[in-house]
Amino acid sequence: MAITLTENAAKHVQNFIAKRGKGVGLRIGVRTSGCSGMAYKLEFADEINGDDLQFTSHGVTVLVDPKSLPYIDGIELDFQREGLNEGFKFNNPNVKNECGCGESFGV
């Protein structure tokens, strides 16, 4: 079981936490949504919950709730800039289909 960040994603997260002045890491999970069934949820975590699973990648603590892990186990989170657009990209080996807009996925 592993959740990883690329070096570029880790730098972005570390910079953002430093600018916020607080935070223990990044929380990744899934929720039911969209036309394909599930969507990612991503937030900066200020505390570690008792049931959180913890991973460390390039010095960043990544927190995942146990119910989300089967859907994102093995995921690599990248941060990309393309022209004027920038954002996180989820490279999830479990995805079987995605909606056309890229907002939701199915496993």
Side-chain angles (χ1 to χ4, degrees):
M1 297 194 308
I3 308 295
T4 59
L5 280 68
T6 64
E7 190 173 337
N8 197 31
K11 285 179 183 176
H12 183 75
V13 170
Q14 289 167 333
N15 289 340
F16 194 83
I17 289 174
K19 286 179 186 175
R20 285 179 78 222
K22 64 179 181 175
V24 297
L26 186 67
R27 186 178 309 281
I28 302 174
V30 296
R31 60 183 168 82
T32 304
S33 178
C35 51
S36 291
M38 307 195 95
Y40 298 107
K41 56 182 183 177
L42 188 64
E43 61 188 12
F44 292 94
D46 292 331
E47 60 185 37
I48 298 172
N49 297 331
D51 63 344
D52 281 337
L53 301 169
Q54 297 181 49
F55 302 90
T56 303
S57 183
H58 294 285
V60 173
T61 299
V62 180
L63 306 169
V64 179
D65 68 272
K67 291 181 181 178
S68 293
L69 187 61
Y71 304 105
I72 60 174
D73 187 23
I75 199 170
E76 178 188 61
L77 186 62
D78 192 12
F79 187 81
Q80 298 179 347
R81 287 191 171 102
E82 295 176 10
L84 298 175
N85 298 320
E86 65 180 18
F88 287 103
K89 177 167 175 44
F90 298 88
N91 300 311
N92 187 344
N94 304 303
V95 170
K96 302 288 187 244
N97 57 39
E98 294 180 298
C99 69
C101 65
E103 292 296 318
S104 64
F105 67 97
V107 293

